[in-house]
Amino acid sequence: MEKLFMESRELLQSKEFCQKLARNFSSSSGRAGKPIVKWNEVQNWFTTRQQESKVKVPSVTNTYKDESRLPQTCLLNDGDQSCQILKGVVAKVGEKVLDLSELEFEAKSSTDGAWYDVDMFLSHRVSSSGETEVCVRFVGFGAEEDEWVNVKKAVRGRSIPFEHSKCCKVMVGGLVLCLQERRDQSIYYDAHVLEIERKTHDIRGCRCLFFIRYDHDSSEETVRLRRLCRVLG
Protein backbone atom coordinates (compact mmCIF):
# COMPACT_ATOMS: atom_id res chain seq x y z
CA MET A 1 0.00 0.00 0.00
CA GLU A 2 2.81 2.38 0.87
CA LYS A 3 4.52 1.67 -2.47
CA LEU A 4 1.30 2.28 -4.38
CA PHE A 5 0.78 5.49 -2.44
CA MET A 6 4.19 6.80 -3.52
CA GLU A 7 3.92 5.66 -7.14
CA SER A 8 0.24 6.14 -7.99
CA ARG A 9 -0.92 9.32 -6.27
CA GLU A 10 -2.77 10.53 -9.35
CA LEU A 11 -4.98 7.42 -9.22
CA LEU A 12 -5.90 7.62 -5.54
CA GLN A 13 -9.28 9.27 -6.11
CA SER A 14 -10.21 6.93 -8.94
CA LYS A 15 -13.11 4.64 -8.02
CA GLU A 16 -12.07 2.09 -10.66
CA PHE A 17 -8.52 1.96 -9.31
CA CYS A 18 -9.69 1.44 -5.72
CA GLN A 19 -12.23 -1.20 -6.80
CA LYS A 20 -9.55 -3.17 -8.64
CA LEU A 21 -7.20 -2.95 -5.69
CA ALA A 22 -9.93 -4.05 -3.29
CA ARG A 23 -10.69 -7.09 -5.42
CA ASN A 24 -7.02 -8.04 -5.50
CA PHE A 25 -6.75 -7.79 -1.73
CA SER A 26 -9.95 -9.75 -1.16
CA SER A 27 -8.85 -12.59 -3.46
CA SER A 28 -5.33 -12.90 -2.05
CA SER A 29 -4.47 -16.15 -0.27
CA GLY A 30 -3.52 -14.28 2.88
CA ARG A 31 -7.10 -13.07 3.37
CA ALA A 32 -8.77 -16.46 3.06
CA GLY A 33 -11.75 -16.60 5.42
CA LYS A 34 -11.59 -12.86 6.17
CA PRO A 35 -14.19 -10.17 5.28
CA ILE A 36 -14.16 -8.72 1.76
CA VAL A 37 -12.23 -5.47 1.42
CA LYS A 38 -14.48 -2.64 0.20
CA TRP A 39 -13.27 -0.17 -2.39
CA ASN A 40 -14.17 2.85 -0.25
CA GLU A 41 -12.03 1.44 2.58
CA VAL A 42 -9.06 1.44 0.22
CA GLN A 43 -9.81 4.98 -0.90
CA ASN A 44 -10.20 6.18 2.71
CA TRP A 45 -6.81 4.68 3.59
CA PHE A 46 -5.12 6.53 0.74
CA THR A 47 -6.90 9.79 1.65
CA THR A 48 -5.80 9.54 5.29
CA ARG A 49 -2.24 8.67 4.28
CA GLN A 50 -2.15 11.64 1.89
CA GLN A 51 -3.26 14.01 4.65
CA GLU A 52 -0.64 12.65 7.02
CA SER A 53 2.10 13.21 4.47
CA LYS A 54 1.27 16.90 4.41
CA VAL A 55 1.67 17.39 8.16
CA LYS A 56 4.68 19.58 8.98
CA VAL A 57 7.37 18.61 11.42
CA PRO A 58 6.34 19.87 14.90
CA SER A 59 8.09 22.98 16.19
CA VAL A 60 10.68 22.54 18.91
CA THR A 61 10.77 24.02 22.42
CA ASN A 62 11.22 27.70 23.09
CA THR A 63 14.87 27.11 24.02
CA TYR A 64 15.56 26.60 20.33
CA LYS A 65 14.37 28.28 17.18
CA ASP A 66 13.28 26.10 14.29
CA GLU A 67 15.02 26.97 11.00
CA SER A 68 13.78 26.06 7.53
CA ARG A 69 16.67 27.92 5.90
CA LEU A 70 20.42 27.65 6.26
CA PRO A 71 21.95 29.79 9.01
CA GLN A 72 23.62 32.84 7.49
CA THR A 73 27.02 31.78 8.87
CA CYS A 74 26.89 28.65 6.75
CA LEU A 75 26.36 30.66 3.61
CA LEU A 76 29.51 32.57 4.39
CA ASN A 77 31.76 29.71 5.48
CA ASP A 78 31.77 26.99 2.84
CA GLY A 79 34.61 25.08 4.49
CA ASP A 80 32.84 24.31 7.75
CA GLN A 81 31.91 20.63 8.09
CA SER A 82 28.56 21.31 9.72
CA CYS A 83 27.65 23.72 6.97
CA GLN A 84 28.45 21.19 4.29
CA ILE A 85 26.10 18.71 5.93
CA LEU A 86 23.47 21.38 6.37
CA LYS A 87 23.62 22.34 2.72
CA GLY A 88 23.09 18.74 1.66
CA VAL A 89 20.53 17.75 4.26
CA VAL A 90 19.13 20.31 6.67
CA ALA A 91 18.32 22.80 3.93
CA LYS A 92 15.76 20.29 2.71
CA VAL A 93 14.24 19.70 6.15
CA GLY A 94 11.41 21.88 7.40
CA GLU A 95 8.13 20.99 5.81
CA LYS A 96 8.65 17.24 5.63
CA VAL A 97 10.77 14.42 6.96
CA LEU A 98 13.80 13.77 4.77
CA ASP A 99 14.44 10.19 3.65
CA LEU A 100 18.14 9.81 2.94
CA SER A 101 17.70 7.51 -0.03
CA GLU A 102 20.80 8.78 -1.81
CA LEU A 103 22.88 10.29 1.02
CA GLU A 104 24.48 8.17 3.73
CA PHE A 105 25.48 9.45 7.15
CA GLU A 106 26.28 8.17 10.60
CA ALA A 107 25.71 9.88 13.92
CA LYS A 108 27.22 9.53 17.38
CA SER A 109 24.72 8.57 20.05
CA SER A 110 24.90 10.49 23.32
CA THR A 111 23.64 7.35 25.08
CA ASP A 112 26.72 5.19 24.62
CA GLY A 113 29.09 7.28 22.49
CA ALA A 114 28.91 4.78 19.62
CA TRP A 115 28.31 5.57 15.95
CA TYR A 116 25.18 4.33 14.19
CA ASP A 117 23.98 4.63 10.61
CA VAL A 118 21.38 7.38 10.11
CA ASP A 119 18.09 6.34 8.58
CA MET A 120 16.68 9.85 8.28
CA PHE A 121 16.93 13.41 9.59
CA LEU A 122 13.61 14.38 11.16
CA SER A 123 14.16 18.03 12.01
CA HIS A 124 16.81 20.53 13.04
CA ARG A 125 17.23 23.38 15.48
CA VAL A 126 19.74 26.00 16.54
CA SER A 127 20.61 26.06 20.24
CA SER A 128 20.88 29.17 22.36
CA SER A 129 24.66 28.88 21.98
CA GLY A 130 24.31 29.05 18.19
CA GLU A 131 25.18 25.41 17.47
CA THR A 132 23.09 23.46 15.00
CA GLU A 133 21.53 20.15 16.02
CA VAL A 134 19.53 17.61 14.06
CA CYS A 135 17.05 15.02 15.22
CA VAL A 136 18.07 11.66 13.75
CA ARG A 137 16.50 8.25 13.50
CA PHE A 138 19.00 5.42 13.48
CA VAL A 139 18.81 2.48 11.10
CA GLY A 140 17.13 -0.45 12.82
CA PHE A 141 15.71 1.63 15.67
CA GLY A 142 12.26 3.05 16.27
CA ALA A 143 11.01 6.54 17.07
CA GLU A 144 11.59 5.99 20.80
CA GLU A 145 15.34 5.95 20.09
CA ASP A 146 15.41 9.24 18.11
CA GLU A 147 18.09 11.66 19.30
CA TRP A 148 19.10 15.29 18.94
CA VAL A 149 22.79 15.42 18.02
CA ASN A 150 25.25 18.20 17.34
CA VAL A 151 25.83 18.49 13.58
CA LYS A 152 29.47 19.51 13.78
CA LYS A 153 30.52 17.06 16.48
CA ALA A 154 28.29 14.04 15.97
CA VAL A 155 27.30 13.77 12.29
CA ARG A 156 29.54 12.70 9.41
CA GLY A 157 29.55 10.73 6.20
CA ARG A 158 29.06 7.01 6.70
CA SER A 159 32.36 5.23 7.35
CA ILE A 160 33.51 2.65 4.79
CA PRO A 161 34.97 -0.78 5.63
CA PHE A 162 38.57 -1.16 4.50
CA GLU A 163 39.15 -3.48 1.55
CA HIS A 164 41.91 -6.04 1.99
CA SER A 165 43.97 -4.37 -0.73
CA LYS A 166 43.66 -1.01 1.05
CA CYS A 167 45.15 -1.96 4.40
CA CYS A 168 48.10 0.26 3.53
CA LYS A 169 45.75 3.21 4.06
CA VAL A 170 45.61 2.45 7.77
CA MET A 171 48.33 4.52 9.39
CA VAL A 172 49.75 4.75 12.90
CA GLY A 173 48.07 7.65 14.69
CA GLY A 174 45.14 7.63 12.32
CA LEU A 175 41.48 7.76 13.31
CA VAL A 176 39.39 4.71 12.44
CA LEU A 177 35.95 3.39 13.28
CA CYS A 178 36.40 0.05 15.01
CA LEU A 179 33.91 -2.66 15.85
CA GLN A 180 34.27 -3.34 19.56
CA GLU A 181 33.17 -6.92 20.12
CA ARG A 182 31.86 -7.89 23.53
CA ARG A 183 30.07 -10.98 24.77
CA ASP A 184 26.70 -9.22 24.88
CA GLN A 185 27.03 -6.80 21.96
CA SER A 186 29.21 -5.45 19.15
CA ILE A 187 29.25 -1.68 18.58
CA TYR A 188 31.28 0.72 16.44
CA TYR A 189 33.43 3.29 18.26
CA ASP A 190 36.09 5.77 17.22
CA ALA A 191 39.63 4.57 17.86
CA HIS A 192 43.21 5.54 17.06
CA VAL A 193 45.84 3.22 15.68
CA LEU A 194 48.85 2.81 17.98
CA GLU A 195 50.87 0.12 16.19
CA ILE A 196 50.65 -1.95 13.02
CA GLU A 197 52.17 -5.37 12.38
CA ARG A 198 52.27 -5.75 8.62
CA LYS A 199 51.98 -9.31 7.33
CA THR A 200 51.94 -10.96 3.93
CA HIS A 201 48.43 -11.39 2.59
CA ASP A 202 47.17 -14.84 1.69
CA ILE A 203 44.07 -16.33 0.11
CA ARG A 204 42.05 -15.10 3.08
CA GLY A 205 43.08 -11.51 2.43
CA CYS A 206 44.81 -9.11 4.79
CA ARG A 207 46.53 -10.78 7.75
CA CYS A 208 47.95 -7.59 9.28
CA LEU A 209 47.37 -6.82 12.95
CA PHE A 210 46.36 -3.38 14.22
CA PHE A 211 46.83 -2.33 17.83
CA ILE A 212 44.21 0.32 18.59
CA ARG A 213 42.94 2.42 21.50
CA TYR A 214 39.26 3.28 21.75
CA ASP A 215 38.52 6.96 22.28
CA HIS A 216 35.47 6.48 24.53
CA ASP A 217 37.03 4.32 27.25
CA SER A 218 40.78 4.25 26.42
CA SER A 219 40.75 0.46 26.27
CA GLU A 220 43.24 -1.17 23.92
CA GLU A 221 43.24 -4.32 21.82
CA THR A 222 44.68 -5.90 18.69
CA VAL A 223 42.23 -6.30 15.80
CA ARG A 224 42.22 -7.39 12.18
CA LEU A 225 41.25 -5.26 9.22
CA ARG A 226 37.71 -6.68 9.01
CA ARG A 227 36.77 -4.71 12.12
CA LEU A 228 38.06 -1.36 10.86
CA CYS A 229 36.30 1.30 8.78
CA ARG A 230 37.69 4.40 7.15
CA VAL A 231 36.29 7.57 8.70
CA LEU A 232 35.13 10.03 6.06
CA GLY A 233 34.89 12.98 8.42
Side-chain angles (χ1 to χ4, degrees), residues 24-201:
N24 291 337
F25 281 144
S26 298
S27 60
S28 63
S29 58
R31 291 195 59 83
K34 297 181 180 180
I36 295 176
V37 178
K38 299 178 181 179
W39 74 268
N40 56 335
E41 292 177 337
V42 175
Q43 189 179 57
N44 289 338
W45 185 93
F46 279 128
T47 300
T48 301
R49 183 66 181 82
Q50 192 171 31
Q51 292 173 347
E52 291 175 349
S53 68
K54 295 180 180 179
V55 176
K56 293 185 178 182
V57 176
S59 58
V60 295
T61 60
N62 293 332
T63 308
Y64 298 86
K65 57 180 181 179
D66 191 24
E67 296 287 346
S68 61
R69 296 182 297 110
L70 287 176
Q72 192 65 25
T73 53
C74 287
L75 298 177
L76 298 176
N77 185 1
D78 292 342
D80 187 80
Q81 177 187 356
S82 64
C83 296
Q84 294 298 322
I85 296 175
L86 285 174
K87 287 182 178 180
V89 180
V90 180
K92 301 177 182 178
V93 178
E95 294 189 354
K96 63 179 180 179
V97 172
L98 176 63
D99 180 4
L100 299 180
S101 58
E102 296 182 359
L103 304 176
E104 295 184 335
F105 294 91
E106 60 189 20
K108 185 177 181 179
S109 171
S110 58
T111 303
D112 55 11
W115 290 86
Y116 298 90
D117 291 342
V118 174
D119 185 21
M120 62 179 69
F121 291 87
L122 302 172
S123 185
H124 73 287
R125 64 189 184 187
V126 179
S127 69
S128 56
S129 62
E131 295 186 315
T132 303
E133 298 178 339
V134 287
C135 183
V136 300
R137 179 163 299 166
F138 298 110
V139 172
F141 294 86
E144 67 278 1
E145 302 292 339
D146 292 348
E147 285 190 40
W148 286 97
V149 297
N150 184 289
V151 169
K152 188 173 182 179
K153 300 176 181 178
V155 179
R156 65 191 182 195
R158 187 173 296 178
S159 299
I160 302 174
F162 281 100
E163 298 178 7
H164 291 290
S165 61
K166 300 295 183 180
C167 72
C168 58
K169 298 292 185 180
V170 183
M171 306 297 292
V172 172
L175 173 67
V176 293
L177 186 66
C178 184
L179 181 64
Q180 187 180 58
E181 296 179 336
R182 294 291 182 263
R183 180 174 301 178
D184 56 336
Q185 62 182 2
S186 297
I187 304 178
Y188 282 97
Y189 289 100
D190 277 346
H192 281 80
V193 181
L194 302 181
E195 297 178 13
I196 301 176
E197 183 180 347
R198 303 288 184 183
K199 293 189 175 183
T200 302
H201 293 192

Side-chain angles (χ1 to χ4, degrees), residues 159-164 167 170 175-183 185-191 193 206-214 216-217 219-231:
S159 299
I160 302 174
F162 281 100
E163 298 178 7
H164 291 290
C167 72
V170 183
L175 173 67
V176 293
L177 186 66
C178 184
L179 181 64
Q180 187 180 58
E181 296 179 336
R182 294 291 182 263
R183 180 174 301 178
Q185 62 182 2
S186 297
I187 304 178
Y188 282 97
Y189 289 100
D190 277 346
V193 181
C206 176
R207 308 307 298 165
C208 302
L209 298 176
F210 304 90
F211 185 55
I212 59 96
R213 176 184 293 145
Y214 293 102
H216 71 291
D217 63 2
S219 61
E220 301 174 350
E221 68 172 321
T222 299
V223 302
R224 294 195 180 277
L225 188 68
R226 66 174 181 81
R227 290 171 56 184
L228 301 181
C229 294
R230 180 167 64 91
V231 175

